[in-house]
Amino acid sequence: MSTFFIVATPIGNLGDFSPRAVETLKSVEYIACEDTRTSGKLLKHFGIDKQTFSFHLHNEHKKVGHLLNILNANQDVALISDAGMPGISDPGFLAARAAQQEGHTICVIPGPDAATTALVASGLPCDRYSFEGFLPHKKGRQKRLGQLAEEDRTLVIYESPNRLLKLLDELEKYFGANRLMAVARELTKTFEEIQRGTISEIKEEFSSRDSIKGEIVVVVAGKGYSE
Ligand code: SAM
């Protein structure tokens, strides 16, 4: 039996790539990458010279078979995504399930992910939280927001910068203007920013900007939380 390594990569700051992650990637026969070109830069930077193949949301059903063939031939494989923890709003789950079902060892090399980094930075309760990832863009979005408004744990949502203002409007409508929240932008990068306030304050802050750029995590206090 072989080992399927699931390896976290930095969410912006290369200094967050762990020595164990580098060691692991140097030890395997193949590296499955969400985007071979994006990962190529990271691998080159750390002197990792291995055979790669693409494994992304649009081909993972097809590529799981390829991955299993390698594992079944007694060769170890590692999976990395463009940033952070594979499987967290990234490909990973299908591969982990398939490798488990075939009896291979799963070994996760933990590291950064944007959700927990933002959660801890938000100053909102992090003893219990609910990870939503990306909300559906259209179908079911409003219903989902209505359900999430009732959640009493801190909520973590991934959002693109060009949809942030729309999301803030929706949060105000479903969660109420006074619910506490935070926006974490460009975590671990040069222009890292954490804004914290009520939904209406955060909406005012971002509405006043000429443009909103970078990667964003939205954290919202659970229903009933007050300070
Ligand atoms: N697998 C990743 C993880 O472990 O967090 C998430 C991948 S998902 C495709 C990309 C989303 O994660 C972005 O749209 C943003 O919401 C969030 N994200 C990733 N890096 C970030 C960063 N440096 N700062 C803020 N948000 C980030």
Side-chain angles (χ1 to χ4, degrees), residues 86-117:
I88 303 301
S89 297
D90 268 342
F93 150 67
L94 284 182
R97 184 178 66 180
Q100 291 257 10
Q101 286 170 344
E102 292 276 318
H104 297 292
T105 304
I106 307 289
C107 180
V108 176
I109 310 297
D113 73 85
T116 50
T117 308

Side-chain angles (χ1 to χ4, degrees), residues 22-220:
V22 176
E23 216 175 277
T24 301
L25 294 179
K26 284 183 173 171
S27 77
V28 296
E29 271 86 14
Y30 290 92
I31 303 174
C33 306
E34 184 181 5
D35 182 325
T36 50
R37 268 190 302 178
T38 304
S39 295
K41 291 177 205 151
L42 179 82
L43 299 176
K44 190 165 179 226
H45 182 88
F46 286 92
I48 302 162
D49 184 16
K50 290 284 164 175
Q51 291 200 63
T52 59
F53 63 91
S54 77
F55 193 92
H56 50 70
L57 286 175
H58 305 292
N59 73 2
E60 63 177 333
H61 281 91
K62 225 168 58 189
K63 286 293 177 84
V64 161
H66 180 55
L67 195 141
L68 287 179
N69 286 341
I70 299 172
L71 291 169
N72 290 339
N74 288 324
Q75 294 184 306
D76 293 340
V77 185
L79 171 68
I80 56 176
S81 64
D82 287 354
M85 185 63 91
I88 303 301
S89 297
D90 268 342
F93 150 67
L94 284 182
R97 184 178 66 180
Q100 291 257 10
Q101 286 170 344
E102 292 276 318
H104 297 292
T105 304
I106 307 289
C107 180
V108 176
I109 310 297
D113 73 85
T116 50
T117 308
L119 173 70
V120 174
S122 72
L124 293 167
C126 29
D127 47 351
R128 290 187 182 83
Y129 70 97
S130 164
F131 175 64
E132 177 65 12
F134 291 101
L135 284 160
H137 283 185
K138 291 197 176 89
K139 197 162 175 280
R141 183 178 174 96
Q142 303 307 313
K143 186 173 171 211
R144 188 86 191 126
L145 281 160
Q147 291 166 341
L148 293 172
E150 298 303 310
E151 172 63 64
D152 64 1
R153 295 171 294 178
T154 304
L155 177 66
V156 181
I157 301 172
Y158 285 167
E159 191 52 284
S160 71
N162 57 348
R163 289 175 166 269
L164 179 66
L165 293 181
K166 176 177 186 277
L167 176 62
L168 292 173
D169 274 342
E170 292 167 330
L171 290 178
E172 191 170 48
K173 177 175 162 198
Y174 286 97
F175 292 60
N178 293 326
R179 184 89 71 105
L180 283 170
M181 70 169 294
V183 169
R185 201 175 64 80
E186 294 290 84
L187 288 164
T188 77
K189 302 185 199 175
T190 311
F191 298 105
E192 174 172 299
E193 174 188 22
I194 317 288
Q195 290 285 342
R196 189 179 193 273
T198 62
I199 290 175
S200 64
E201 286 165 347
I202 296 292
K203 192 177 140 184
E204 197 181 321
E205 168 61 37
F206 282 95
S207 304
S208 69
R209 299 189 182 187
D210 292 339
S211 66
I212 304 168
K213 293 200 177 97
E215 296 193 281
I216 283 173
V217 182
V218 169
V219 185
V220 192

